[in-house]
Amino acid sequence: MTTETVIQQATSPETTTASTETTPTSTTTGADHTEHVDLLVIGWGKGGKTLAGTMARAGKKVAVVEQSEMMIGGSCINIACIPTKILVHDAENKRADDDVDEYFAKAVERRDTLTGAMRKKNHSMLADLDSVLLVNGHAEFTGEREVRVTGGADTMTITADTVVVNTGSVANIPPIDGAQLGGRIHDSESLQHVDPFPKRLVIVGGGYIGLEFGSMFAHFGSQVTVLDRGPRPLANEDDDVADVVAQALADDGVTIVNDASVTAVDDGADAATVTYEVGGETKTIDAEAVLLAVGRKPATADLGLEKAGIDTDDRGFIVTDEYLRSSAEGVYAFGDVNGGPMFTYISLDDNRILADQLLGDGKRSTKDRGSVPYTMFLTPPVARVGLTEKAARDEGYEIKVGAKLQADIAAAPRAKIEGDPRGIVKFVVDAKTDLVLGAALVHVHSQEVINTVALAMRHDVTATELRDTIYTHPSATEALNEVLGALK
């Protein structure tokens, strides 16, 4: 494949500022050109880009279509996991005498530099493969396993034996009067480049995104108020775990208003005003910035899914089976767009499932997944895997529970060494089999320890084995020795 067949050749992106898009180098044919490939990937997400490289190295012809050069590499490295965790890290390390505006600007600059370098690396990982066609433009299905890609005045039609939709998700904008992005009203992407830095930040939504940004901006220096519709944060966690997290957020200056129903957002001349109802009263709060954090929806708009016979559910997510097959023959969906857990490592595992079907024995499926961990990067981070105590009891298990506040765990001094002994370690164990059913870890480095617990659960390592294993010292993992020794 040569650049003459490409309406817009995906060029190596700049390694710096992510706030503006660069113009790709364009090679035109003056007419619609048709290309056939073995694999077409729509969207440069984690799973799709990985499968594209695997198939190309196996000698297959591959096309990857991405409509934004600033999204090369996918959401994780550009607007989600990596950039937000850079900001979380820098926020946690801000000193009291640092100028807030200057410090935040430098953190954003570091964010942009790293994400730019990662875009460049992700581009080269596929661009260096001879059988990969990289196309900038918007893809829309025109038939079965056929898309038309438009970019500027030119079009390209791509047909494929196998198609992967890997377009991810976008912020959900709630049906609230005045809730429109722009000015002082942000989603989780635009808030990462907010300017000027907001002295006051109101967050609509107390889910994972809302709480992560609330914790982050509080550490940078904002006065943060979270308006949450639920009766308490972390509705899916046990009360003792949720209470510890709520207290940590309060300690860091985050105010959470529970049972709050937002009715209007007004971006006025001097401030944004949020109107909400709580306890039968109507209240207002002003801020320099408002974050709308009420979940995400699939990025399927204008894809023409119906023209390819691709079914979606009532929320717009592509319906797939355990092998990630859509209702259309030869069309698969990876990552956020299929409605599964919205984690980049799930998209990566989606890639393994389809790679096994295309190049292996076809036995891998989503049913093979067990004990998938996740982390909410608050300060300290909240990591979870498996069942909560309440869920285990509701499912009829006879259980033993071990739970200790991090500050009371003598055998694990790592958190005290690092100056933040807040948190809790909680395990739920099947009393009959001694197998771990679930764990909630809220402490320094919990995002690392949870992987050990999840691996143990997937391989039926007993709680006794975890309790009696030798761990390095001083480490956060040592808490397992003590907490699992206190099951009752």
Side-chain angles (χ1 to χ4, degrees), residues 262-466:
V262 176
T263 58
V265 179
D266 178 33
D267 190 1
D270 300 317
T273 301
V274 179
T275 303
Y276 63 99
E277 295 179 357
V278 60
E281 295 184 46
T282 298
K283 298 185 177 182
T284 61
I285 184 172
D286 291 342
E288 283 77 37
V290 175
L291 169 62
L292 303 177
V294 291
R296 298 182 68 79
K297 62 182 181 180
T300 54
D302 303 322
L303 282 181
L305 300 179
E306 67 285 349
K307 298 174 186 175
I310 301 171
D311 292 340
T312 59
D313 65 15
D314 56 0
R315 299 178 299 163
F317 292 99
I318 295 176
V319 177
T320 60
D321 64 10
E322 65 185 286
Y323 297 101
L324 304 171
R325 296 177 296 206
S326 76
S327 56
E329 182 69 26
V331 180
Y332 300 77
F334 280 7
D336 292 6
V337 78
N338 68 24
M342 291 187 178
F343 305 127
T344 190
Y345 45 88
I346 291 296
S347 182
L348 179 61
D349 197 57
D350 287 348
N351 141 78
R352 298 184 187 112
I353 291 171
L354 186 49
D356 184 52
Q357 292 177 61
L358 297 177
L359 301 173
D361 57 18
K363 294 181 179 179
R364 286 289 308 270
S365 81
T366 57
K367 290 185 177 180
D368 298 330
R369 293 174 184 158
S371 305
V372 176
Y374 59 86
T375 301
M376 180 165 42
F377 285 85
L378 308 182
T379 306
V382 181
R384 133 114 8 242
V385 65
L387 299 176
T388 63
E389 177 183 354
K390 181 181 183 302
R393 294 191 190 280
D394 289 346
E395 291 188 20
Y397 284 99
E398 181 183 342
I399 62 174
K400 292 182 178 180
V401 177
K404 278 194 172 186
L405 295 176
Q406 177 66 37
D408 296 336
I409 302 174
R414 186 76 221 177
K416 299 181 181 70
I417 291 170
E418 298 196 20
D420 191 355
R422 297 176 299 174
I424 188 172
V425 176
K426 183 173 184 177
F427 277 84
V428 180
V429 175
D430 188 327
K432 295 181 178 179
T433 64
D434 196 36
L435 295 177
V436 177
L437 297 174
L441 312 180
V442 184
H443 57 77
V444 169
H445 303 309
S446 65
Q447 77 275 15
E448 307 292 348
V449 180
I450 201 68
N451 292 315
T452 297
V453 177
L455 182 64
M457 291 173 64
R458 284 194 291 270
H459 293 277
D460 292 337
V461 175
T462 65
T464 299
E465 290 177 280
L466 274 178

Side-chain angles (χ1 to χ4, degrees), residues 3-194:
T3 57
E4 284 71 36
T5 66
V6 187
I7 57 167
Q8 288 187 314
Q9 179 76 15
T11 57
S12 181
E14 296 295 327
T15 60
T16 54
T17 304
S19 57
T20 58
E21 294 199 17
T22 56
T23 303
T25 300
S26 176
T27 354
T28 64
T29 62
D32 185 41
H33 176 81
T34 299
E35 191 79 48
H36 182 80
V37 295
D38 297 303
L39 173 68
L40 166 63
V41 178
I42 304 173
W44 206 316
K46 179 68 172 181
K49 70 183 181 186
T50 306
L51 182 67
T54 299
M55 293 293 286
R57 288 187 291 272
K60 306 298 182 180
K61 291 184 178 180
V62 178
V64 179
V65 179
E66 172 55 57
Q67 65 181 358
S68 170
E69 284 206 325
M70 302 312 294
M71 290 299 289
I72 288 177
S75 295
C76 180
I77 70 168
N78 289 298
I79 61 173
C81 321
I82 303 303
T84 59
K85 302 319 171 274
I86 294 170
L87 295 177
V88 167
H89 175 272
D90 286 5
E92 290 177 338
N93 286 277
K94 179 182 174 296
R95 298 168 301 188
D97 59 349
D98 287 324
D99 180 82
V100 174
D101 297 293
E102 291 181 5
Y103 189 87
F104 181 72
K106 289 180 179 178
V108 172
E109 181 180 6
R110 193 171 82 87
R111 169 212 182 277
D112 292 348
T113 299
L114 181 55
T115 56
M118 294 184 75
R119 275 196 304 281
K120 185 175 182 180
K121 178 63 176 178
N122 270 260
H123 179 271
S124 67
M125 289 169 66
L126 293 182
D128 292 347
L129 299 173
D130 292 337
S131 60
V132 177
L133 177 67
L134 304 178
V135 184
N136 289 124
H138 175 75
E140 180 180 354
F141 282 95
T142 53
E144 294 183 0
R145 298 188 302 282
E146 176 183 282
V147 303
R148 181 176 62 249
V149 184
T150 55
D154 305 301
T155 63
M156 169 186 278
T157 296
I158 304 176
T159 60
D161 297 332
T162 302
V163 179
V164 172
V165 182
N166 191 210
T167 51
S169 62
V170 295
N172 185 41
I173 306 304
I176 296 171
D177 184 30
Q180 299 179 359
L181 298 181
R184 298 184 182 88
I185 315 301
H186 297 270
D187 61 11
S188 60
E189 181 179 351
S190 65
L191 191 64
Q192 295 175 49
H193 286 94
V194 63

Side-chain angles (χ1 to χ4, degrees), residues 175-257:
I176 296 171
D177 184 30
Q180 299 179 359
L181 298 181
R184 298 184 182 88
I185 315 301
H186 297 270
D187 61 11
S188 60
E189 181 179 351
S190 65
L191 191 64
Q192 295 175 49
H193 286 94
V194 63
D195 184 24
F197 181 82
K199 301 297 187 293
R200 297 168 297 172
L201 170 66
V202 171
I203 298 176
V204 180
Y208 292 171
I209 293 175
L211 293 183
E212 277 196 5
F213 274 81
S215 176
M216 175 207 306
F217 272 80
H219 280 89
F220 273 125
S222 287
Q223 178 183 324
V224 177
T225 301
V226 177
L227 302 177
D228 185 13
R229 294 194 64 170
R232 68 164 174 82
L234 278 70
N236 294 325
E237 288 291 347
D238 291 324
D239 289 345
D240 52 354
V241 174
D243 288 346
V244 168
V245 175
Q247 186 59 58
L249 287 166
D251 291 343
D252 291 339
V254 178
T255 299
I256 299 177
V257 181

